[in-house]
Amino acid sequence: MQGNINRNGNLYPSHGLGPVSQIMDINYGDKMDYLVSISSNDFTMANKMQEMSAIDRYYEPYTGLKFRGNLNTTIIRTHKGRTIMLQHDISTPGPQHRFDLISGNKGIYRAEPDRIAINSEKWLPEQE
C-alpha cells in the first residue's frame, strides 16, 4: 500500500519487461535508449481507502492521501529504433489479463492464446 502513495509511474516494470527484453535481445545486440511514461489520475484507490476505512480501522491512515494513477503507460525506444510499450494497472476493476504482443517486419506473435502470423494478415492454424 505504502508504495502507491505520493509516487507515480510503473511500480513493477520487470514483470512485463523481462520476457520482452529477452525476446528482443536487449543487452545482447540492442539496448534501451530512452523512455516516456505517463499515468492516469487515481480514480479508484483513494475511494477504496475511504470505503474500507468505514468497516476496518486499518485503512484509516490511508484516507485522504494522494495515490498513484490507475494506469501507467511507458514507451521505451531502443538504440536500434525499436519500441516497447509497458502498461501497469493493479487498481481498476476487472479480471487479470496479461497481454504480450511481439510485432516485427516479418511476423507477429500474440500470447493468451498463443498465435503467430508470418508475412500474412491471418493467424496460422494452431497445429502449425
Side-chain angles (χ1 to χ4, degrees):
M1 186 71 64
Q2 205 64 34
N4 293 298
I5 300 168
N6 295 321
R7 296 175 67 190
N8 223 338
N10 184 333
L11 305 182
Y12 189 40
S14 59
H15 190 69
L17 191 55
V20 170
S21 294
Q22 289 178 330
I23 291 168
M24 294 180 67
D25 288 330
I26 300 298
N27 293 333
Y28 296 94
D30 201 356
K31 62 183 177 180
M32 295 178 201
D33 196 13
Y34 63 91
L35 64 81
V36 293
S37 184
I38 191 165
S39 295
S40 70
N41 287 339
D42 168 40
F43 298 104
T44 60
M45 294 181 80
N47 293 339
K48 190 66 171 179
M49 294 304 107
Q50 186 70 37
E51 175 189 322
M52 294 300 292
S53 69
I55 57 175
D56 188 338
R57 292 182 60 136
Y58 171 83
Y59 295 96
E60 287 178 3
Y62 299 107
T63 60
L65 298 178
K66 182 178 167 112
F67 287 86
R68 66 165 178 77
N70 294 127
L71 175 65
N72 172 269
T73 300
T74 302
I75 301 172
I76 303 166
R77 184 174 167 95
T78 72
H79 185 70
K80 290 184 174 181
R82 302 182 295 173
T83 58
I84 301 167
M85 182 182 72
L86 295 173
Q87 290 189 309
H88 178 70
D89 176 5
I90 61 163
S91 57
T92 54
Q96 179 181 351
H97 176 67
R98 190 164 166 232
F99 180 82
D100 290 318
L101 178 79
I102 305 295
S103 179
N105 59 337
K106 295 182 181 176
I108 189 169
Y109 164 76
R110 174 180 284 175
E112 294 187 19
D114 287 339
R115 295 182 186 180
I116 296 174
I118 300 171
N119 291 323
S120 172
E121 293 181 11
K122 295 181 180 180
W123 298 109
L124 290 173
E126 188 176 335
Q127 311 83 283
E128 290 186 43

